[in-house]
Amino acid sequence: MSVDIVDRIPLLLEFSEEQLETLRPIIEEVSYQEGEVIFHQGDHAKYLYFIVDGEVSIRFKPDDGPVIPVADIEGGDIFGWSSALGSQVYTSGAVCTKTGNFMRLEGERLKKICHDDPETGILILDQLAGVIAQRLRGTHQQVVELLHRGLQGESHQSQGEIQ
């Protein structure tokens, strides 16, 4: 790797040099173009992704409705957690919305490192938990806004029907 992974993946700032040496061999650099699907909802959850630069839209498709944009994320963010948290499939899809460079770690190899080196595993899970909690707070706000807009739309429709 031409640039140290710590400079490209902020999540790794708290890792020791020894822990970073353990992770370096399983980190792969990839690029995606605007509009390119990184993974579909329901695909086998193979990689955990870090955005170096570029942007990604996380999208969820409920069984009974249209695709819902869940989050728009950019440099420094992480996605594809399903691969690191034991899920067999991605629970949402990811589409590149601005061409960029990414790093990815294969979930199974990451789990093996966590098993073999519990201290590193705890640090990884702690960092992921913080990122997930932050994203869920943002997603909660988006859901509230969508519901509010939906209720306003129904209210306007009802008022139009009454008049």
Side-chain angles (χ1 to χ4, degrees):
M1 272 176 236
S2 57
V3 177
D4 191 54
I5 59 173
V6 175
D7 296 332
R8 301 182 83 182
I9 305 174
L11 177 93
L12 302 178
L13 286 173
E14 295 182 29
F15 286 67
S16 71
E17 188 56 38
E18 184 178 315
Q19 290 169 321
L20 292 172
E21 285 305 316
T22 302
L23 292 172
R24 277 186 178 94
I26 70 165
I27 296 175
E28 176 183 7
E29 295 181 67
V30 293
S31 297
Y32 291 100
Q33 301 298 311
E34 183 176 332
E36 190 173 354
V37 173
I38 299 169
F39 55 80
H40 292 94
Q41 180 176 325
D43 283 356
H44 173 68
K46 187 170 183 176
Y47 296 105
L48 174 67
Y49 293 85
F50 301 91
I51 303 174
V52 176
D53 56 60
E55 294 175 6
V56 172
S57 176
I58 305 299
R59 301 170 180 181
F60 177 75
K61 168 75 171 88
D63 291 336
D64 61 349
V67 172
I68 300 169
V70 175
D72 292 316
I73 55 177
E74 55 191 19
D77 282 327
I78 301 167
F79 64 102
W81 315 322
S82 299
S83 66
L85 300 178
S87 179
Q88 295 297 309
V89 297
Y90 291 114
T91 56
S92 296
V95 176
C96 181
T97 54
K98 181 179 177 188
T99 298
N101 299 300
F102 302 80
M103 304 280 223
R104 67 183 185 187
L105 288 85
E106 187 176 340
E108 287 303 316
R109 292 177 74 189
L110 184 59
K111 287 183 218 171
K112 181 174 180 354
I113 286 173
C114 291
H115 180 267
D116 294 346
D117 182 357
E119 186 177 322
T120 299
I122 289 169
L123 188 54
I124 290 169
L125 291 176
D126 186 49
Q127 295 291 325
L128 279 175
V131 170
I132 292 168
Q134 182 179 11
R135 180 90 45 82
L136 290 176
R137 280 191 293 275
T139 301
H140 175 350
Q141 183 60 37
Q142 284 182 310
V143 169
V144 168
E145 288 173 14
L146 284 170
L147 289 173
H148 183 64
R149 277 186 271 168
L151 290 174
Q152 283 182 330
E154 286 178 15
S155 174
H156 292 301
Q157 287 175 351
S158 296
Q159 289 174 1
E161 292 170 2
I162 293 172
Q163 296 175 352

